[in-house]
């Protein structure tokens, strides 16, 4: 990543490579003695810097890891709360209802036909 | 989480084996009821229950692996063995269809006219759409490898693009096969040629659709940052499966489309 001096924050910020190759020079507003360099953000490797890291949404994995690793004794299939319970109960209702309906259907199918 | 002194995954009690078993009961009984009483109610119920079970079971496996960290190196090793055994069983499944094909075609019975392709069958030209399909699947094998190396080298954007391209190639293959089936001058009812051709290529097509779905789930997980450069077995399993589908196509192309015509 390339850096330039930001006149607004008075700190170093990231910049495009082209900006880094054309020196800013001395401007009236900037004091002749350069201020102590303070990095606006912790320095990062090129691969994890800026726009690429945000490509197609932010990383929510750490939050989800925190959520799913809380020790509250809830089994993994219900750990996310209401949506999980809703889906689980729908599935269970279909399982019990379907099994009963199936037994009835098979019982009817087993009766001799009157033809 | 309770302290544990080993690296193995102690699973939570799960309802999905039960719901999956009932789904299987409903689907098989549903088929019988459909055949005998023309009612698809039970079959539909079974299908919905199966889809719900599949979604939630695999969702939980992602939670266990990616969010809870249960897929430790020894657990990953077991997952690898499991996937290898599964693909081996699939190889043997397809071997059966190739056996049927070669059994029928190497010594054609007098009823077929004593030669292959049998009397009255106009086979598809292997150097038209089937050759394009071969090129499409080989290209998708390249893009899936590109996606794998992108994941290993932390090239998030490239991994997403390569995976998308692989899935698009998979869909293109399915589209071409559907058109080829529509245009085919013979049907599954046209003797042993039709049955071996459509059962073998049909099951292959089904596997392409399953493989594309598997890769699409991987794309979704890649977009959501589930894969790291070191740990991405879900993707690797999908890539293995995709290569398997690719190799089966090469055998189908050489045997049924080319040699068989």
């Amino acid at each position: 990543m390339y850096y330039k001096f930001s006149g607004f924050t008075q700190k170093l910020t990231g910049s495009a490579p082209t900006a880094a190759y054309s020196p800013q020079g001395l401007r009236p507003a900037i004091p002749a003695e350069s201020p102590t360099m303070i990095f606006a953000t912790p320095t990062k490797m090129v691969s994890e810097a800026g726009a690429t890291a945000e490509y197609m949404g932010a990383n929510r994995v750490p939050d989800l890891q925190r959520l799913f690793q809380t020790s509250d004794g809830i089994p993994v299939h219900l750990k996310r709360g209401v949506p999980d319970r809703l889906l689980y109960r729908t599935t269970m209702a279909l399982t019990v209802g379907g099994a009963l309906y199936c037994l009835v259907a098979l019982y009817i199918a087993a009766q001799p036909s009157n033809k | 989480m309770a302290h544990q002194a080993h690296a193995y995954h102690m699973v939570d009690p799960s309802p999905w084996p039960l719901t999956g078993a009932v789904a299987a009961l409903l689907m098989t009984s549903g088929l019988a009821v459909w055949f005998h009483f023309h009612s698809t109610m039970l079959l539909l119920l079974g299908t919905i229950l199966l889809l719900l079970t599949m979604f939630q079971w695999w969702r939980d496996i992602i939670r266990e692996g990616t969010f809870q960290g249960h897929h430790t190196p020894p657990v990953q090793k077991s997952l690898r063995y499991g996937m290898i055994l599964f693909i081996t069983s699939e190889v043997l499944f397809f071997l059966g269809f190739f056996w049927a094909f070669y059994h029928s075609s190497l010594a054609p019975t007098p009823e077929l006219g004593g030669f292959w392709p049998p009397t009255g069958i106009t086979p598809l030209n292997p150097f038209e759409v089937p050759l394009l399909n071969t090129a499409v699947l080989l290209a998708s094998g390249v893009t899936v490898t590109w996606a794998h190396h992108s994941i290993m080298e932390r090239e998030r954007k490239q991994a997403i693009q390569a995976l998308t391209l692989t899935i698009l190639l998979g869909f293109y293959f399915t589209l071409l096969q559907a058109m080829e089936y529509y245009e085919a001058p013979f049907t599954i009812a046209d003797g042993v040629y039709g049955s071996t051709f459509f059962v073998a290529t049909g099951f292959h097509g089904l596997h392409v659709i399953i493989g594309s779905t598997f890769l699409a789930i991987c794309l979704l997980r890649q977009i959501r940052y589930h894969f790291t450069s070191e740990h991405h077995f879900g993707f690797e399993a999908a890539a293995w499966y995709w290569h398997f589908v690719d190799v089966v196509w090469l055998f189908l192309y050489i045997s049924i489309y080319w040699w068989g015509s």
Side-chain angles (χ1 to χ4, degrees):
Chain A
M1 191 171 183
Y2 295 89
Y3 295 95
K4 68 173 180 188
F5 184 77
S6 165
F8 180 68
T9 59
Q10 297 292 304
K11 289 173 182 172
L12 281 181
T13 54
S15 76
T18 45
Y21 283 115
S22 45
Q24 292 164 303
L26 294 176
R27 290 184 194 148
I30 301 169
E33 239 171 81
S34 57
T36 338
M37 283 189 187
I38 302 163
F39 289 96
T41 48
T43 43
K44 284 179 174 180
M45 300 295 290
V46 178
S47 58
E48 55 177 349
T52 16
E54 293 292 310
Y55 181 68
M56 294 196 83
N59 187 356
R60 289 180 57 235
V61 169
D63 303 328
L64 289 164
Q65 285 177 333
R66 220 166 294 124
L67 171 72
F68 283 104
Q69 285 178 24
T70 47
S71 28
D72 46 13
I74 297 171
V76 67
H77 66 280
L78 297 173
K79 221 160 171 76
R80 217 169 181 185
V82 181
D84 279 0
R85 273 202 298 279
L86 218 70
L87 209 53
Y88 167 67
R89 285 182 187 171
T90 310
T91 312
M92 250 359 211
L94 280 175
T95 303
V96 175
L100 291 174
Y101 178 70
C102 180
L103 291 178
V104 172
L106 289 176
Y107 178 78
I108 293 168
Q111 297 307 306
S113 63
N114 290 325
K115 270 184 262 178
Chain B
M1 219 164 282
H3 174 74
Q4 81 178 38
H6 58 78
Y8 294 93
H9 179 191
M10 300 287 108
V11 289
D12 282 338
S14 165
W16 313 132
L18 177 72
T19 60
V22 171
L25 170 73
L26 298 196
M27 288 185 89
T28 44
S29 307
L31 275 174
V33 168
W34 180 31
F35 293 162
H36 286 279
F37 306 104
H38 310 285
S39 162
T40 52
M41 180 68 190
L42 208 52
L43 184 61
L44 190 73
L45 210 65
T47 310
I48 293 169
L49 192 53
L50 182 75
L51 291 174
L52 279 169
T53 303
M54 285 161 70
F55 174 77
Q56 291 172 99
W57 197 334
W58 281 324
R59 176 206 64 188
D60 287 355
I61 292 170
I62 292 172
R63 288 178 177 182
E64 290 163 351
T66 308
F67 302 143
Q68 295 186 323
H70 284 305
H71 292 179
T72 57
V75 173
Q76 281 183 61
K77 199 174 173 185
S78 305
L79 293 173
R80 277 166 206 278
Y81 278 130
M83 195 65 199
I84 290 168
L85 285 173
F86 170 62
I87 291 177
T88 307
S89 76
E90 292 265 83
V91 168
L92 295 174
F93 175 80
F94 276 98
L95 188 74
F97 300 127
F98 279 103
W99 193 295
F101 171 75
Y102 280 112
H103 175 90
S104 311
S105 60
L106 281 174
T109 59
E111 289 87 339
L112 299 176
F115 43 76
W116 194 271
T119 321
I121 293 286
T122 318
L124 297 166
N125 184 346
F127 299 106
E128 287 173 3
V129 177
L131 185 62
L132 174 60
N133 267 335
T134 307
V136 167
L137 276 194
L138 286 177
S140 77
V142 174
T143 56
V144 83
T145 305
W146 171 22
H148 190 198
H149 282 262
S150 303
I151 290 174
M152 287 191 295
E153 287 164 29
R154 298 186 176 85
E155 291 284 356
R156 173 175 165 76
K157 200 170 178 176
Q158 278 197 47
I160 291 171
Q161 288 166 348
L163 208 42
T164 307
L165 199 54
T166 311
I167 294 160
L168 287 177
L169 286 167
F171 282 144
Y172 184 41
F173 176 90
T174 306
L175 179 76
L176 287 173
Q177 275 299 76
M179 286 163 67
E180 196 78 333
Y181 272 20
Y182 186 74
E183 299 273 326
F186 49 86
T187 73
I188 195 169
D190 282 327
V192 75
Y193 184 90
S195 44
T196 50
F197 178 90
F198 281 106
V199 170
T201 60
F203 269 116
H204 176 264
L206 177 68
H207 282 74
V208 170
I209 293 168
I210 294 168
S212 306
T213 315
F214 200 169
L215 287 170
I217 298 293
C218 286
L219 174 62
L220 198 69
R221 294 188 66 198
Q222 167 63 18
I223 290 172
R224 293 184 180 184
Y225 298 85
H226 287 196
F227 299 131
T228 69
S229 59
E230 301 294 322
H231 186 178
H232 44 259
F233 181 66
F235 171 82
E236 285 181 322
W240 289 355
Y241 192 81
W242 193 250
H243 286 306
F244 153 72
V245 166
D246 196 351
V247 170
V248 170
W249 171 261
L250 293 181
F251 280 101
L252 281 177
Y253 180 73
I254 293 167
S255 308
I256 297 181
Y257 286 90
W258 181 60
W259 179 80
S261 70

